[in-house]
Amino acid sequence: MFARRIAVVGTGYVGLTTGACLASLGHRVVCADIDTAKIERLRRGEVDILEPGLVELVVEGMAAGRLEFVVGAREAISRPDELPVEVMFLCVPTPMGAGGAADLSAVEAVAAEVRSLLPSGCVVVNKSTVPVGTAAATLGLLNRRDVAVVSNPEFLREGSAVHDFLHPDRIVVGCDAQDAAERVAALYSKLGAPTVLTDAASAEMVKYAANCFLAMKLSYVNALAELCDVLGADVGAVTEGMGYDRRIGQAFLKPGPGWGGSCLPKDTNALVQVAAAAGRELPIVSASIATNERQRVLMVDKVRDAVGGSLAGLRIGLLGLTFKAGTDDLRDSPALAVAALLRVEGAELTGFDPGCPVAVPGVTDDVTVVSDALLAAKDAAALVVLTEWPQFRSLDWAGIAGEMACRVVVDTRNLLDADVLRRARISWVGVGRR
Ligand code: UGA
């Protein structure tokens, strides 16, 4: 493998993981961000996000002289004393814009900034999730015949991003110029993963196709769980029985309060929008989105039933605020969505989350954030588990029972051991469980 000179623009989850991991594979990487304070922190080896193994790779990469941080894309590619950058990764945010379509203004801004500066022969790689056709559009924006634009979607999960980067199920690289696609694929050759080389539009489509499939899988499981509740079946046994079929697989079959985070909600909405713009409907994805919204309402129904029919004026304790365990990310968190619905019905909410120890103004305003589970349980008419932090299983349940006004736990993640709770004389309500 040749060590390449790489620029990574954007140091969020995807960009920082990409930069640090590519440096660990032996490449020479310069990461750029417009946030000066963040770059200064990274230069001191401080990583803002909770991502196992990332800070170690950042520190190691800098110590080995293979990883640097600069302010701005311009600085990353126009350094006269350095050899020219061969590959530039775009890892900037593509949030949900008006009407659900992806907002590409960050990609457009970087393209405008670097257009005249890119070295001849440089390959621009889009790692952000972008609508089909963005590689072609970026090439148009750059307006350079001597530069190629490649789509190389990432499949990292928050909380295991470094592991996912270094042990990928597959690498997908798409470009209408085959040699540029092969150069990008070669950056990962050490990883030995199956590689799909295709055109740019297909590579862009893979990312939406995969995330929407995962969202559909979860909505299907959540709908099955509802039915299990009604019919007296056990969703754990049902998904185990389904999952042994290798065409289905055991992964991503856990019911919950609905799926969230910065990716699945954004990408499902974007695909529906893209389809609509192309004059097509995608009812299967639209139904998954609707099922997901409904799931949050069903969780509130469970809590209301558990406390005797009305939430007005009751104190409810929440365990978990982040969109999933192992992260500090609150973006589009199903836990916060359920909290908002509980609040509308007049509940007073106190919440504890190991990844979010203090209140985040403007985000956690529906909840009084406390620093441990006992405080969340204090005087609560019910406790509601909303995020699957494994440490919740081994909480001091007898102590928690002593704090609660009413001993009932609604476990929207089916996380806890009902027998342990029973011994603490707490009644347990799960999702789709007998
Ligand atoms: C997702 C995809 O899994 C990644 O492959 C993709 O690269 C990433 O989006 C992205 O597009 O960047 P992530 O957003 O980190 O990753 O979160 P997931 O682990 O997929 O979880 C999404 C939601 O589904 C969470 O709210 C989680 O709690 C929920 N979930 C997941 C369940 O309710 N049950 C499950 O069995 C699994």
Side-chain angles (χ1 to χ4, degrees):
M1 185 199 78
F2 289 108
R4 296 288 184 195
R5 304 185 79 83
I6 298 172
V8 177
V9 180
T11 59
Y13 278 101
V14 176
L16 190 58
T17 306
T18 301
C21 289
L22 286 172
S24 81
L25 295 178
H27 300 292
R28 181 82 197 268
V29 182
V30 52
C31 290
D33 204 289
I34 48 172
D35 183 339
T36 310
K38 187 177 190 184
I39 290 297
E40 277 164 12
R41 288 195 296 279
L42 286 167
R43 283 177 178 153
R44 293 195 297 269
E46 293 167 23
V47 173
D48 295 345
I49 49 181
L50 189 63
E51 200 55 73
L54 187 55
V55 71
E56 290 83 350
L57 282 191
V58 167
V59 169
E60 192 183 295
M62 284 195 293
R66 288 195 301 268
L67 183 61
E68 284 176 81
F69 295 97
V70 298
V71 177
R74 176 184 297 268
E75 178 65 23
I77 54 168
S78 55
R79 299 188 305 162
D81 47 334
E82 299 278 349
L83 289 169
V85 162
E86 296 159 282
V87 182
M88 184 183 87
F89 281 87
L90 287 177
C91 302
V92 291
T94 54
M96 190 148 60
D103 172 357
L104 293 179
S105 47
V107 173
E108 287 161 3
V110 177
E113 187 180 349
V114 301
R115 181 168 41 216
S116 59
L117 303 169
L118 288 171
S120 185
C122 184
V123 178
V124 175
V125 185
N126 208 334
K127 255 217 172 306
S128 312
T129 308
V130 288
V132 176
T134 302
T138 309
L139 195 56
L141 285 171
L142 291 170
N143 194 20
R144 290 269 305 262
R145 284 172 180 274
D146 56 343
V147 164
V149 178
V150 168
S151 165
N152 170 216
E154 56 79 19
F155 303 101
L156 314 176
R157 288 164 301 172
E158 284 184 27
S160 58
V162 169
H163 176 272
D164 292 351
F165 190 101
L166 297 175
H167 305 91
D169 288 343
R170 76 300 207 186
I171 304 283
V172 176
V173 185
C175 185
D176 300 332
Q178 188 76 8
D179 59 324
E182 282 167 5
R183 271 168 70 192
V184 173
L187 299 175
Y188 303 100
S189 59
K190 260 192 186 173
L191 301 177
T195 301
V196 179
L197 283 183
T198 180
D199 58 276
S202 303
E204 287 165 341
M205 184 80 175
V206 169
K207 180 59 191 277
Y208 285 103
N211 272 2
C212 290
F213 189 84
L214 292 171
M216 278 164 25
K217 201 172 178 186
L218 291 177
S219 277
Y220 180 57
V221 166
N222 285 334
L224 286 178
E226 184 190 358
L227 213 48
C228 286
D229 267 335
V230 177
L231 301 179
D234 187 303
V235 74
V238 173
T239 52
E240 188 186 359
M242 285 162 63
Y244 281 118
D245 185 329
R246 272 171 293 175
R247 293 169 303 175
I248 297 173
Q250 297 283 356
F252 246 69
L253 287 181
K254 292 202 187 76
W259 36 271
S262 63
C263 305
L264 301 193
K266 168 173 79 78
D267 293 350
T268 43
N269 278 293
L271 196 62
V272 169
Q273 286 291 317
V274 164
R280 294 288 187 277
E281 284 182 5
L282 225 63
I284 195 165
V285 180
S286 307
S288 303
I289 297 169
T291 301
N292 196 43
E293 274 154 21
R294 194 158 151 273
Q295 186 67 8
R296 296 155 183 205
V297 175
L298 291 175
M299 297 303 103
V300 174
D301 293 346
K302 271 185 188 289
V303 181
R304 194 190 312 101
D305 288 349
V307 299
S310 170
L311 288 155
L314 292 185
R315 181 175 291 277
I316 303 290
L318 307 181
L319 293 181
L321 300 171
T322 53
F323 86 97
K324 66 174 182 180
T327 172
D328 53 2
D329 199 337
L330 297 163
R331 284 178 291 176
D332 228 322
S333 170
L336 293 179
V338 170
L341 293 173
L342 292 169
R343 197 71 198 101
V344 166
E345 296 201 23
E348 295 294 324
L349 305 175
T350 313
F352 164 64
D353 189 295
C356 172
V358 291
V360 181
V363 181
T364 60
D365 297 348
D366 286 320
V367 185
T368 303
V369 178
V370 292
S371 57
D372 68 47
L374 279 175
L375 289 172
K378 190 158 179 42
D379 301 329
L383 260 185
V384 186
V385 177
L386 290 167
T387 310
E388 74 285 23
W389 288 97
Q391 52 268 55
F392 290 162
R393 285 200 193 102
S394 48
L395 287 171
D396 167 16
W397 285 104
I400 287 176
E403 295 293 325
M404 296 179 74
C406 225
R407 296 177 173 193
V408 57
V409 170
V410 178
D411 182 357
T412 71
R413 296 280 187 169
N414 291 341
L415 175 76
L416 307 176
D417 183 336
D419 289 333
V420 170
L421 266 69
R422 200 170 299 129
R423 283 197 289 278
R425 290 188 292 127
I426 297 175
S427 48
W428 178 86
V429 179
V431 177
R433 299 301 297 272
R434 279 155 74 93

